[in-house]
Amino acid sequence: MTLDRERLIELDRSVVWHAFTQMAEYEPLIIERADGCVLVDIDGREYIDGVSSLWCNIHGHRHPRLDEAVRRQLDRVAHVTSLGCSNPTTIELAARLVEIAPAGLNHVFFSDDGATAVEVALKMAFQYWRQCSRPRPEKTCYVALGDAYHGDTLGAVSVGGVERFHAMFEPLLFPSLRLPAPKAGPGACLATADESCREHLDRLEKVFAEHHHRIAAMIIEPLMQCAAGMVRHPPGYLRGVRELTRRYEILLIADEVAVGFGRTGKMFACEHENVAPDLMCLAKGITAGYLPLAATLTTDEVYSAFLGRYEESKTFFHGHTYGGNPLGAAVALANLDLFESEQTVAKIQPRIAQLADRLMGVERLEHVGSVRQCGLIAGVELMLDPAAGIPFPWEQRVGGRVCDAVRRHGVWLRPLGNVIVIMPPLCISADQLDRVVDAIEVGISESVHQICSRE
């Protein structure tokens, strides 16, 4: 049965409950098909996918080699459980991930999305300290940063720090030690960035010195806290965190769910500062945005703590039905093949420079408070009075209204509050990227002028 347009819209409003969406105000946007960086809705209108279908699409939609990888795997087997069983495609993917990951991450635990990858890392760290060669069961606490976002399961929310997302669930959460997010600051000189880095690392060391005996792990989004509004860390901070966690015998969890797979201009954000964490969480771009799949990578040291005889119960009692699904693994392998054959990371460098150049113009707009960029990730923060640091009231939905205007100009974006997010597929062309920024400039001018004149 094929539903007509009006019935689709009706059902989308009344039956489908959309994530992070106020359903009382929802206006359906129904995407029927896509090609490359372009989405097409049920009315035939086209939009450049400016946020990679929530930060996961890498090589564009309907890439023939990715499509074919899924079809080939369907001719073999669609799903094999990872509970005491395996599949050649999944095994090959695990080996490939170990090859490209930071040194020492030699073991792969599969799950199905970013939040579950983080849950795995948190539980692994907790159990590790009970079973390692020198057990320290008192290490049960986690260190996290302000405005952190690590997913929406309860463990991930416990180490998250986005007030608007997480405050409702506070009674359900375990406590964490939280420090302010370090911010590089727009236009900050090197000396200022260095000073900020030292200040935040000094603050972190004080926490470690006092509480290291009870801290199991610190979790961090390397370089850029995306859901916080594209908060960029000062250079050297990640490297300093790695050194401190080693010194105080605290595990480091790198949440690369959003920043991994080329987004920052390298395959993994940790590579920018030559950091190898104890656990690394991957999702989103792992399958180039095709299918749900996630992975938590860890070291020989962590892995070995879970090895023993059956009666010792050192097993990691955690798992997901679709963890390591062969269809997801097949397209993930094809994704990695494309990174190699198409030299994706090298090819995006001109687009990164182009975006940086265009953002200088955006930053000069009247109500733009700051612009933050890392690779092909950027955030444009809108403010009522940038000079005085006065934000627009959250209730005015300024970011959403600007994105509504941008959409009328043929670009699909989704904001974070009053921060306009730019995170296109890595295959975006120079012309398409210009059109994205053009639409943002026009959308800001149209919407903010209208808002300020009326309110």
Side-chain angles (χ1 to χ4, degrees), residues 211-280:
H211 300 286
H212 67 92
H213 62 283
R214 67 187 186 97
I215 299 173
M218 177 173 178
I219 184 167
I220 187 171
E221 300 160 81
L223 300 190
M224 183 78 102
Q225 292 180 227
C226 293
M230 301 302 163
V231 172
R232 178 75 189 265
H233 294 170
Y237 180 75
L238 178 63
R239 163 53 54 185
V241 168
R242 173 70 285 193
E243 291 170 356
L244 288 174
T245 52
R246 282 208 177 100
R247 186 183 309 165
Y248 287 93
E249 296 186 287
I250 292 166
L251 297 178
L252 178 62
I253 302 170
D255 178 354
E256 292 245 7
V257 170
V259 296
F261 294 98
R263 294 286 176 196
T264 65
K266 292 184 181 289
M267 182 61 86
F268 300 113
C270 284
E271 294 178 36
H272 287 273
E273 299 193 4
N274 297 314
V275 163
D278 299 292
L279 300 110
M280 185 166 75

Side-chain angles (χ1 to χ4, degrees), residues 140-303:
T140 62
C141 185
Y142 298 88
V143 173
L145 296 177
D147 293 320
Y149 180 82
H150 299 289
D152 296 322
T153 52
L154 289 178
V157 172
S158 293
V159 292
V162 181
E163 180 73 12
R164 191 161 299 282
F165 296 168
H166 300 155
M168 174 67 70
F169 306 105
E170 187 174 359
L172 302 175
L173 310 180
F174 59 75
S176 297
L177 296 172
R178 194 172 305 284
L179 291 97
K183 299 180 181 181
C189 66
L190 183 60
T192 304
D194 286 346
E195 183 179 334
S196 173
C197 182
R198 285 194 299 272
E199 176 186 335
H200 283 280
L201 289 174
D202 287 347
R203 187 177 297 173
L204 179 63
E205 183 165 18
K206 288 177 182 176
V207 171
F208 282 1
E210 182 178 356
H211 300 286
H212 67 92
H213 62 283
R214 67 187 186 97
I215 299 173
M218 177 173 178
I219 184 167
I220 187 171
E221 300 160 81
L223 300 190
M224 183 78 102
Q225 292 180 227
C226 293
M230 301 302 163
V231 172
R232 178 75 189 265
H233 294 170
Y237 180 75
L238 178 63
R239 163 53 54 185
V241 168
R242 173 70 285 193
E243 291 170 356
L244 288 174
T245 52
R246 282 208 177 100
R247 186 183 309 165
Y248 287 93
E249 296 186 287
I250 292 166
L251 297 178
L252 178 62
I253 302 170
D255 178 354
E256 292 245 7
V257 170
V259 296
F261 294 98
R263 294 286 176 196
T264 65
K266 292 184 181 289
M267 182 61 86
F268 300 113
C270 284
E271 294 178 36
H272 287 273
E273 299 193 4
N274 297 314
V275 163
D278 299 292
L279 300 110
M280 185 166 75
C281 305
L282 303 175
K284 288 194 183 292
I286 193 171
T287 66
Y290 265 57
L291 288 167
L293 186 73
T296 304
L297 280 66
T298 194
T299 62
D300 294 341
E301 169 68 22
V302 172
Y303 178 74

